[in-house]
Amino acid sequence: GMTVRRMTTVARADSETAARLRLVVARLGRAVRQQAAAGLTPSQLSALSTVEEHNPIRLSELAGYESVGAPFATRVVDSLEKLGYVARVSDTSDRRACLIELTDGGREVLAELWSTRTAVLSKRIGNLPAAQAAALAAALPALEALVRGSAGE
């Protein structure tokens, strides 16, 4: 009866919200990335961010987080090492393994990148009508819950 029809309407609305959210997140992400990439490829930037998050990290772990094979991860790390953004250090717990560590240069380039990207977004938010900017701020806890995966799991 009525409950089933209401549930279907809610499910349809959720599905439309999900589709719109997916599209807007992808487009906004692309717009922000295009504004500030610091001359890094998407693979280099992703790997550098992962190293920053798990500093220091084994190559095999980095490859796992990035969902790439060890040979590709090695090439990306080599290129980042040439740029001076990461360094290989020996793993004291396993002599055969080496750890990838963020250098000061890598830390600086990421900090600059994050602040540029924040500025790009901040400017866009500043151009919104006050009510929309407030609605965006109010939606942040829900968006953060989506990222954590805690929403309805």
Side-chain angles (χ1 to χ4, degrees):
M2 198 60 193
T3 323
V4 173
R5 195 172 316 125
R6 202 189 96 57
M7 299 264 295
T8 311
T9 308
V10 169
R12 205 175 300 124
D14 285 352
S15 173
E16 187 186 327
T17 299
R20 288 177 63 190
L21 184 62
R22 183 186 54 76
L23 199 59
V24 77
V25 165
R27 286 181 177 163
L28 188 58
R30 198 176 312 121
V32 171
R33 282 193 302 275
Q34 284 168 351
Q35 292 271 312
L40 296 171
T41 67
S43 298
Q44 287 174 322
L45 184 53
S46 182
L48 198 57
S49 304
T50 300
V51 173
E52 179 186 43
E53 199 179 331
H54 303 277
N55 198 31
I57 187 173
R58 282 200 171 134
L59 187 72
S60 58
E61 291 174 325
L62 178 63
Y65 281 120
E66 296 298 303
S67 305
V68 297
F72 184 76
T74 300
R75 283 200 302 278
V76 172
V77 167
D78 287 345
S79 71
L80 290 170
E81 196 173 23
K82 278 192 190 83
L83 290 166
Y85 296 157
V86 300
R88 284 181 164 89
V89 294
S90 54
D91 185 346
T92 50
S93 66
D94 180 356
R95 279 211 214 105
R96 293 160 307 167
C98 79
L99 293 168
I100 320 301
E101 195 172 76
L102 202 60
T103 62
D104 288 342
R107 216 170 270 109
E108 272 169 37
V109 80
L110 283 176
E112 197 175 300
L113 196 63
W114 302 151
S115 86
T116 303
R117 288 183 174 186
T118 298
V120 166
L121 267 175
S122 186
K123 186 174 182 230
R124 286 181 173 224
I125 294 166
N127 291 334
L128 291 174
Q132 284 187 345
L136 195 54
L140 285 173
L143 292 169
E144 291 161 351
L146 284 179
V147 171
R148 289 190 303 273
S150 63
E153 268 189 17

